[in-house]
Coordinates of all heavy atoms in Angstrom, one line a residue:
I91 N 0.8 -1.2 0.0 CA 0.0 0.0 0.0 C 0.8 1.3 0.0 O 0.4 2.4 -0.3 CB -1.0 0.0 1.2 CG1 -0.2 0.0 2.5 CG2 -1.9 -1.1 1.1 CD1 -1.1 0.3 3.7
Q92 N 2.1 1.1 0.3 CA 3.0 2.3 0.3 C 4.5 1.8 0.3 O 4.8 0.7 0.8 CB 2.8 3.2 1.5 CG 3.6 4.5 1.5 CD 3.2 5.3 2.7 OE1 2.2 5.2 3.3 NE2 4.2 6.1 3.1
T93 N 5.4 2.6 -0.3 CA 6.8 2.3 -0.3 C 7.6 3.6 -0.1 O 7.1 4.7 -0.5 CB 7.2 1.5 -1.5 OG1 8.6 1.2 -1.4 CG2 7.1 2.4 -2.8
S94 N 8.7 3.5 0.5 CA 9.6 4.7 0.6 C 10.1 5.2 -0.7 O 10.1 4.4 -1.7 CB 10.8 4.4 1.5 OG 11.6 3.4 1.0
D95 N 10.5 6.4 -0.8 CA 10.9 7.0 -2.1 C 12.2 6.2 -2.6 O 13.1 6.0 -1.8 CB 11.3 8.4 -1.9 CG 11.7 9.1 -3.2 OD1 12.8 9.1 -3.5 OD2 10.8 9.7 -3.8
L96 N 12.2 5.8 -3.8 CA 13.2 5.0 -4.4 C 14.6 5.8 -4.4 O 15.6 5.2 -4.1 CB 12.9 4.6 -5.8 CG 13.9 3.8 -6.6 CD1 14.3 2.5 -5.8 CD2 13.5 3.5 -8.0
M97 N 14.5 7.1 -4.7 CA 15.8 7.8 -4.7 C 16.4 7.9 -3.3 O 17.6 7.8 -3.1 CB 15.5 9.2 -5.3 CG 14.9 9.2 -6.7 SD 15.9 8.2 -7.9 CE 17.4 9.2 -8.0
Q98 N 15.5 8.1 -2.3 CA 16.1 8.1 -0.9 C 16.6 6.7 -0.6 O 17.6 6.6 0.1 CB 14.9 8.5 0.0 CG 14.5 10.0 -0.1 CD 13.4 10.3 0.8 OE1 12.9 9.4 1.5 NE2 12.9 11.5 0.8
A99 N 15.9 5.7 -1.0 CA 16.4 4.3 -0.7 C 17.8 4.1 -1.3 O 18.6 3.4 -0.7 CB 15.4 3.3 -1.2
K100 N 18.0 4.6 -2.5 CA 19.3 4.4 -3.1 C 20.4 5.0 -2.3 O 21.5 4.6 -2.3 CB 19.3 4.9 -4.5 CG 18.5 4.0 -5.5 CD 18.5 4.6 -6.9 CE 17.7 3.8 -7.8 NZ 18.1 2.4 -8.0
A101 N 20.1 6.1 -1.6 CA 21.1 6.9 -0.9 C 21.3 6.3 0.5 O 22.2 6.7 1.2 CB 20.7 8.3 -0.8
S102 N 20.4 5.4 1.0 CA 20.5 4.9 2.3 C 20.3 3.4 2.4 O 19.3 2.9 2.4 CB 19.4 5.6 3.2 OG 18.1 5.3 2.6
N103 N 21.5 2.8 2.4 CA 21.6 1.4 2.8 C 20.9 0.4 1.8 O 20.7 -0.7 2.1 CB 21.0 1.1 4.2 CG 21.7 1.9 5.2 OD1 22.9 2.1 5.2 ND2 20.9 2.4 6.2
N104 N 20.6 0.9 0.6 CA 20.1 0.0 -0.5 C 18.9 -0.8 0.0 O 18.8 -2.0 -0.2 CB 21.2 -1.0 -0.9 CG 22.4 -0.3 -1.6 OD1 22.3 0.9 -1.9 ND2 23.5 -1.0 -1.7
S105 N 18.0 -0.1 0.7 CA 16.8 -0.8 1.2 C 15.5 0.1 0.9 O 15.6 1.3 0.8 CB 16.9 -1.1 2.6 OG 16.9 0.1 3.4
V106 N 14.4 -0.6 0.8 CA 13.1 0.0 0.6 C 12.2 -0.4 1.7 O 12.1 -1.5 2.0 CB 12.6 -0.3 -0.8 CG1 11.2 0.2 -1.0 CG2 13.5 0.1 -1.9
K107 N 11.5 0.6 2.2 CA 10.5 0.3 3.3 C 9.2 0.1 2.6 O 8.6 0.9 2.0 CB 10.4 1.4 4.3 CG 9.6 1.1 5.5 CD 9.5 2.3 6.5 CE 10.9 2.7 7.0 NZ 11.5 1.6 7.9
L108 N 8.6 -1.1 2.8 CA 7.3 -1.5 2.3 C 6.3 -1.6 3.4 O 6.5 -2.1 4.4 CB 7.4 -2.9 1.6 CG 8.4 -3.1 0.4 CD1 8.3 -4.5 -0.1 CD2 8.1 -2.1 -0.7
L109 N 5.1 -1.1 3.1 CA 3.9 -1.2 3.9 C 3.0 -2.2 3.2 O 2.5 -2.0 2.1 CB 3.2 0.1 4.2 CG 3.7 0.9 5.4 CD1 5.2 1.4 5.2 CD2 2.8 2.1 5.6
L110 N 2.8 -3.4 3.9 CA 2.0 -4.5 3.3 C 0.8 -4.7 4.2 O 0.9 -4.8 5.4 CB 2.9 -5.7 3.3 CG 4.1 -5.6 2.4 CD1 5.2 -6.5 3.0 CD2 3.8 -6.1 1.0
R111 N -0.4 -4.8 3.5 CA -1.6 -5.0 4.2 C -2.2 -6.5 4.0 O -2.2 -7.0 2.9 CB -2.7 -4.0 3.8 CG -4.0 -4.2 4.5 CD -5.0 -3.1 4.2 NE -5.1 -2.9 2.7 CZ -5.4 -1.8 2.1 NH1 -5.6 -0.7 2.9 NH2 -5.5 -1.7 0.8
N112 N -2.5 -7.1 5.2 CA -3.1 -8.4 5.1 C -4.6 -8.2 4.8 O -5.4 -7.9 5.7 CB -2.9 -9.2 6.4 CG -3.6 -10.5 6.5 OD1 -4.2 -11.0 5.5 ND2 -3.5 -11.2 7.6
G113 N -5.0 -8.5 3.6 CA -6.4 -8.4 3.2 C -7.2 -9.7 3.3 O -8.4 -9.7 2.9
Y114 N -6.6 -10.7 3.9 CA -7.3 -12.0 4.1 C -8.0 -12.0 5.5 O -7.8 -11.1 6.3 CB -6.3 -13.1 4.1 CG -5.5 -13.3 2.9 CD1 -4.3 -12.7 2.7 CD2 -6.0 -14.1 1.8 CE1 -3.5 -12.9 1.5 CE2 -5.3 -14.2 0.6 CZ -4.1 -13.7 0.5 OH -3.3 -13.8 -0.6

């Protein structure tokens, strides 16, 4: 449902913050 900005992710530890929702 949301992810951190890709350009910021490239500048900080090569990671992306994902927000995942359990719709089950």
Side-chain angles (χ1 to χ4, degrees):
I91 62 171
Q92 186 178 334
T93 184
S94 60
D95 186 274
L96 178 59
M97 302 306 291
Q98 292 178 356
K100 289 180 182 299
S102 59
N103 301 324
N104 298 343
S105 65
V106 174
K107 189 180 296 295
L108 300 179
L109 271 63
L110 299 145
R111 179 171 52 206
N112 178 3
Y114 299 94

